[in-house]
Amino acid sequence: MTDDLEQRLRFAEGLAIEAGAEAHRWFRDLDSLHVEHKGPQDVVSEADRSVERMIRAAIAKAFPDDGFLGEESGSAQINGDRPIWVVDPIDGTQCFLAGIPTWCVSIGLVSGGRPVGGVIRDPNAAETFTGLAGHGATCNGRPMAPTDSGDFTSGLTEVGFSRRIPAGPTVRLIHDLIDAGGIYHRGGSGALGLAYVAAGRYIAYFEGHMNSWDSVAGIALISAAGGWTNDILHGNGLLDGAVIAASGQRLAPALKELAGSVGYTVLEPPG
Ligand code: LIP
């Protein structure tokens, strides 16, 4: 048994690539999939469950004493202060099942109550985003960093949305973003959107609510890459989810003000 987070991240990179290949095999044969509706605009299929079973079994074999929380597992295994793996086997499920190639495998690590590491694998683009607190972040092994943008006029902001929250505040936020000279984008996978902030492709990300399995890996990537994120695990965020705000350091004040203007409180990450 080891507390070596670096070892876990190296393991997670290989696992994410393997899980991405498995997910992509399902993606190439969508007609064979039975789609279940968990709720309005919320779907799941055997592909999600199969890939999560694969990831969970590999982690349990390699790190049997660690905790695990997966979107489809339906229960959280939290073992004292052991690292917790927080996993979405296919993030961007609606896109996946619609045959749209904006989805990914998201494997995050929580230790000491914080998102400390993450791997996001996009098999469609053959990209692996990896980051560990204090060790930086890479895309396919090349160092990456958020933009140094100081205002919204200089690039794309991803604004996520789901039927888990009312439309009003998000619509108002998009209005205010446009008023500030920004442009919004919604790719449909929050994890991939957060990875793109870490890579400097989006200047910021905001969503009124994301589940931890969608966000932990991407938030860890952004922090490791030197960006700013809110505290997503405050209170019971691991199990209940949280508002998500992330950007480069210079844009953080404007992003916090934008969120506050529509009623969201985004908390600074723990020191
Ligand atoms: C998705 C999130 C995204 C959100 C979508 C959906 P899923 O996760 O990553 O941020 O806007 O509604 O929740 O359901 O595809 O795993």
Side-chain angles (χ1 to χ4, degrees), residues 5-6 8-14 16-17 105 107 116-122 127-133 135-145 195 198-199 217-218 220-225:
L5 292 176
E6 282 186 78
R8 283 173 172 78
L9 256 291
R10 286 192 299 273
F11 166 83
E13 268 195 313
I17 290 169
V105 175
I107 300 176
V116 293
V119 179
I120 290 175
R121 172 67 179 172
D122 174 359
E127 291 187 317
T128 306
F129 302 88
T130 306
L132 179 64
H135 291 76
T138 59
C139 175
N140 287 355
R142 298 182 59 182
M144 63 180 184
L221 283 176
I222 294 167
S223 299

Side-chain angles (χ1 to χ4, degrees), residues 78-217:
I78 298 174
N79 299 334
D81 61 355
R82 300 294 305 160
I84 304 168
W85 296 80
V86 185
V87 172
D88 188 349
I90 298 174
D91 185 68
T93 308
Q94 274 194 302
C95 294
F96 179 94
L97 293 173
I100 302 168
T102 50
W103 54 270
C104 63
V105 175
S106 181
I107 300 176
L109 260 182
V110 169
S111 180
R114 304 180 185 188
V116 293
V119 179
I120 290 175
R121 172 67 179 172
D122 174 359
N124 304 286
E127 291 187 317
T128 306
F129 302 88
T130 306
L132 179 64
H135 291 76
T138 59
C139 175
N140 287 355
R142 298 182 59 182
M144 63 180 184
T147 67
D148 190 31
S149 304
D151 63 57
F152 291 113
T153 64
S154 56
L156 293 172
T157 296
E158 170 139 351
V159 180
F161 178 74
S162 76
R163 303 308 308 187
R164 299 185 295 270
I165 55 176
T170 298
V171 170
R172 289 194 296 276
L173 183 129
I174 290 173
H175 174 277
D176 294 352
L177 174 66
I178 292 170
D179 259 359
I183 288 285
Y184 68 95
H185 187 266
R186 182 181 187 272
S189 165
L192 201 52
L194 291 169
Y196 286 3
V197 171
R201 298 176 185 175
Y202 287 144
I203 59 174
Y205 188 100
F206 182 85
E207 186 158 354
H209 177 273
M210 283 179 79
N211 291 306
S212 60
W213 46 78
D214 296 331
S215 59
V216 160

